[in-house]
Amino acid sequence: MYQVGNLVKELSDKHGRQRDSLMPILQGIVEKHNYLTDEAMVEVAKELDISAAEVYGTASFYTFLDTQARGKYVIRICKTITCSMKGKIEIIQTLEDMLKIKVGETTADNNFSLIETNCIGWCHKAPAMLINEIPYTELTPEKVVDIIEGYMLK
Amino acid sequence: MEKTGLNKVDLIFEEIDPKEVLIKASKMTSDEIIQNMLDSGLKGRGGAGFPTGLKWKYTAAEKEPEKYIVCNADEGEPGTFKDREILDRVAYKVYGGMAIAGKAIGAKNGIVYLRGEYRFLLPKLMTELESFHKMISEIGFDFKIRYCLGSGAYICGEESALFESVEGFRGEPRNKPPYPTTSGVYNKPTSINNVETLVTATMIIKHGPASYSQLGTKDSRGSKVFSISGDTPTPGIFELELGMSVQEFVNEFGDGDTKAVQVGGASGFCVPRKKFQDTIIGFEGVPTGGSMKLFNSSRSMYNVLHNYLDFFAEESCGQCTPCRVGCQQLLKGVEKVKKGEAKSIYLNELVKLADTMKIASKCGLGQSVGNAFKTIVENFREEIIY
Ligand SMILES: Cc1cc2nc3c(=O)[nH]c(=O)nc-3n(C[C@H](O)[C@H](O)[C@H](O)COP(=O)(O)O)c2cc1C
Ligand code: SF4
Ligand code: FES
């Protein structure tokens, strides 16, 4: 759990307080904290003067506006057909072994979440994944180890 | 001479001086720009293939003073990645196309809706947008573009769902009519075009419609950027003249053992080997937003179909029953047949369900689930059953 503090106000100053400011504000919170807490959503509702149900209803539609707790680095592995054909299973295996979690879980230190996602537009360089917004492509188990070790040192 | 084989083209990624093209456009009337699009024969590159000139003409005819140009950069169709590459390499041509479209329909504002998966590109795109704004203000073009980001929902590529999302709502498709040309984003007349369509428009203004319409066939003019993946030695992005057969395509991109090509992504059509020769890639045959996936004989078409159905079951917005329930039933249905829990004849019932979804679903998602379903089940029935 994090405290949103002034973030909602800052984002509202930047993006406005109209209905169409809602997405950029929620995206701004997720960019910083990786998921939306109830507190954050209530705060947004107050700031935009709409009901919290509206905020939650919108957020829950979008897979990237997570309403369940996620780690600092959200790993999204593509599970669509080409990545699936080109070794997605070995990549997931490697990640699960390294992070000691299963798909859908978050590490105990809250550093990594592992989830599957649909085609991320890198099929010609499959298998592919995103870590937060950064794409990683043409993955092999060895490459994945290097990448994750890099994040562990951050 | 009759055209044969496959012709590589370099129009979309060609480096040009955008200022020159925009000065040319600024000296044309709205009608002239629209006539150029109509004469070129350009059809939308986002999948549905609506003639771009007509879309601009309808939007231009609306009396409402506030209008919008929207660039659809949601690119979520499995197997499509060309719009990312286009934005990465020639975003200025996308912006140019938006400004030209703006002049044609009488809009001063443009919105690019970029899928959240491509957020890493945004800083670069914004810098380029700044230079673009500076350049067009120098030549007296009154047009402003802004970005909206998606958040991981395939359905937001559907135009009316995209508008809902821009406005800050759940991305649930609207009823049609009214069409976007009369009531689009913020309920204002809107021309929504795919990234590649807008770049093509820029190139048509540059080279003229006559030279563009020499490429391609009567029903599919011009060239198209293809996103090629799967079992191929050369996956990647290729711009090809329209009008080739699947066979010609496979000769160039196959691995020697291609048994099927999925044309147009999960919502497109599966073409089996025996139909390669007689199937044209384009509006006269199998249309495509550019996604071309090749499968060789080591692949199980059951796995392919299952993967697509799983995709649709997840991405259906759930708003209308035929699609929400239909996607899940198709998925469960093929699983049952595979496990032997249902007789193979049950597949016929599922095909009927897919037909019903085509008629009864509210938007293009539910309406096109049957494309892949039927073409895979019809052509690879044994692989689904055994
Ligand atoms: C489920 C669904 C997803 C779509 N996704 C996209 C997309 O990612 N990009 C796109 O340009 N068009 C997409 N479309 C088509 C758009 O609704 C619209 O027809 C297109 O943006 C119009 O542009 P065009 O005429 O230049 O092709 C999608 C349609 C449906 C039904
Ligand atoms: S067809 Fe599917 S995606 Fe489209 S509105 Fe209905 S439920 Fe939503
Ligand atoms: S299938 Fe994985 S990126 Fe497209």
Side-chain angles (χ1 to χ4, degrees):
Chain A
M1 283 276 276
Y2 58 87
Q3 300 298 318
V4 267
N6 277 330
L7 183 61
V8 174
K9 280 215 162 51
E10 285 163 24
L11 288 167
S12 310
D13 288 341
K14 183 172 168 196
H15 298 292
R17 289 173 170 75
Q18 310 298 319
R19 180 62 198 235
D20 63 3
S21 320
L22 179 59
M23 289 284 286
I25 293 172
L26 295 177
Q27 286 162 342
I29 301 171
V30 171
E31 193 173 336
K32 181 131 191 215
H33 295 294
N34 284 318
Y35 72 103
L36 300 164
T37 57
D38 289 352
E39 183 219 353
M41 286 186 279
V42 169
E43 203 57 40
V44 172
K46 272 192 216 151
E47 205 59 44
L48 300 190
D49 197 18
I50 54 180
S51 81
E54 282 283 316
V55 177
Y56 180 78
T58 304
S60 62
F61 185 84
Y62 296 94
T63 46
F64 284 16
L65 301 178
D66 264 313
T67 51
Q68 52 170 299
R70 298 289 185 205
K72 189 165 156 203
Y73 302 113
V74 181
I75 307 173
R76 290 191 165 88
I77 307 143
C78 172
K79 67 171 163 105
T80 306
I81 189 68
T82 308
C83 290
S84 206
M85 280 163 36
K86 305 267 168 171
K88 177 208 82 169
I89 292 177
E90 288 78 45
I91 302 306
I92 292 189
Q93 199 73 57
T94 309
L95 286 163
E96 288 184 339
D97 289 350
M98 266 192 104
L99 301 170
K100 314 224 164 16
I101 53 172
K102 295 272 170 227
V103 169
E105 296 175 350
T106 298
T107 53
D109 60 6
N110 280 325
N111 265 340
F112 295 95
S113 294
L114 188 58
I115 40 190
E116 288 185 314
T117 193
N118 285 323
C119 183
I120 55 175
W122 290 97
C123 330
H124 57 323
K125 296 186 173 175
M129 66 178 179
L130 293 172
I131 301 186
N132 294 348
E133 81 269 28
I134 310 293
Y136 295 90
T137 61
E138 297 179 307
L139 298 172
T140 58
E142 298 73 40
K143 216 166 146 182
V144 168
V145 170
D146 285 349
I147 294 165
I148 299 300
E149 277 175 356
Y151 277 90
M152 284 173 164
L153 292 173
K154 275 194 189 177
Chain B
M1 202 179 74
E2 198 180 321
K3 277 180 236 161
T4 51
L6 164 153
N7 179 19
K8 293 192 177 154
V9 183
D10 183 24
L11 206 58
I12 298 294
F13 295 107
E14 185 191 338
E15 290 293 339
I16 59 163
D17 177 7
K19 197 167 179 173
E20 200 182 282
V21 182
L22 283 159
I23 289 175
K24 186 170 175 188
S26 70
K27 291 180 185 147
M28 294 166 81
T29 65
S30 157
D31 285 347
E32 280 167 350
I33 296 174
I34 291 168
Q35 198 56 49
N36 264 243
M37 293 307 132
L38 289 169
D39 292 344
S40 75
L42 173 64
K43 292 181 181 171
R45 298 307 193 213
F50 192 80
T52 307
L54 275 185
K55 197 181 273 191
W56 291 9
K57 189 174 166 179
Y58 294 155
T59 325
E62 292 291 326
K63 295 282 177 287
E64 163 71 42
E66 192 183 335
K67 299 179 188 179
Y68 289 91
I69 298 295
V70 173
C71 168
N72 191 340
D74 196 49
E75 195 170 57
E77 188 61 52
T80 325
F81 37 85
K82 46 125 190 147
D83 291 341
R84 171 179 50 70
E85 184 91 358
I86 294 173
L87 282 165
D88 194 17
R89 283 166 59 186
V90 289
Y92 66 94
K93 285 164 71 171
V94 181
Y95 303 152
M98 292 176 76
I100 292 167
K103 162 119 198 200
I105 71 158
K108 296 195 173 0
N109 288 294
I111 298 169
V112 183
Y113 187 91
L114 183 71
R115 72 185 303 212
E117 288 83 343
Y118 294 166
R119 196 182 77 193
F120 72 99
L121 279 176
L122 197 58
K124 174 172 174 258
L125 293 173
M126 292 298 279
T127 311
E128 290 169 2
L129 182 57
E130 233 169 87
S131 326
F132 179 81
H133 279 148
K134 204 177 284 162
M135 186 266 289
I136 56 170
S137 75
E138 278 166 24
I139 55 177
F141 236 104
D142 183 11
F143 194 72
K144 205 144 188 72
I145 296 171
R146 67 181 166 96
Y147 270 88
C148 286
L149 266 182
S151 268
Y154 165 69
I155 190 57
C156 289
E158 195 282 336
E159 51 201 22
S160 63
L162 186 152
F163 302 148
E164 290 291 312
S165 183
V166 167
E167 293 175 28
F169 297 96
R170 295 163 67 86
E172 290 172 347
R174 300 173 181 167
N175 283 320
K176 285 184 214 173
Y179 292 98
T181 50
T182 32
S183 178
V185 72
Y186 303 109
N187 300 319
K188 302 291 180 193
T190 303
S191 176
I192 176 165
N193 292 107
N194 173 258
V195 172
E196 185 185 347
T197 310
L198 291 161
V199 173
T200 309
T202 304
M203 297 312 280
I204 289 168
I205 295 298
K206 181 178 163 65
H207 294 302
S211 108
Y212 186 78
S213 63
Q214 268 165 20
L215 290 173
T217 65
K218 185 166 89 19
D219 292 323
S220 309
R221 293 270 177 233
S223 57
K224 166 106 199 65
V225 182
F226 288 89
S227 310
I228 301 170
S229 68
D231 294 313
T232 163
T234 49
I237 292 153
F238 298 86
E239 185 176 358
L240 305 171
E241 181 174 354
L242 287 168
M244 72 202 131
S245 69
V246 178
Q247 186 64 56
E248 286 163 336
F249 177 84
V250 167
N251 293 346
E252 178 83 14
F253 295 101
D255 63 358
D257 185 27
T258 309
K259 80 167 168 192
V261 181
Q262 179 74 20
V263 182
S267 59
F269 301 83
C270 180
V271 182
R273 189 184 287 149
K274 62 176 185 284
K275 293 185 185 154
F276 285 174
Q277 199 70 52
D278 299 329
T279 308
I280 301 292
I281 302 167
F283 297 107
E284 57 270 74
V286 275
T288 172
S291 173
M292 304 291 290
K293 282 192 193 254
L294 295 94
F295 301 109
N296 68 23
S297 60
S298 76
R299 306 297 175 188
S300 148
M301 294 311 286
Y302 172 80
N303 287 350
V304 173
L305 179 60
H306 190 275
N307 193 280
Y308 287 161
L309 292 173
D310 183 58
F311 172 83
F312 285 124
E314 265 184 37
E315 298 292 347
S316 162
C317 84
Q319 197 189 175
C320 67
T321 315
C323 169
R324 182 185 63 244
V325 178
C327 289
Q328 286 168 2
Q329 289 307 318
L330 290 180
L331 180 61
K332 279 190 206 149
V334 295
E335 285 176 352
K336 271 193 202 156
V337 171
K338 190 74 180 174
K339 284 190 206 141
E341 289 167 15
K343 292 218 176 79
S344 60
I345 196 107
Y346 184 54
L347 284 174
N348 301 356
E349 295 299 313
L350 295 177
V351 166
K352 274 192 221 152
L353 172 60
D355 284 335
T356 307
M357 288 170 70
K358 191 175 191 77
I359 301 164
S361 294
K362 182 166 171 179
C363 86
L365 189 151
Q367 288 159 11
S368 56
V369 173
N371 296 346
F373 187 83
K374 285 174 68 173
T375 47
I376 294 178
V377 168
E378 275 161 17
N379 293 300
F380 297 95
R381 204 176 165 90
E382 308 76 42
E383 290 191 36
I384 308 302
I385 300 169
Y386 302 109

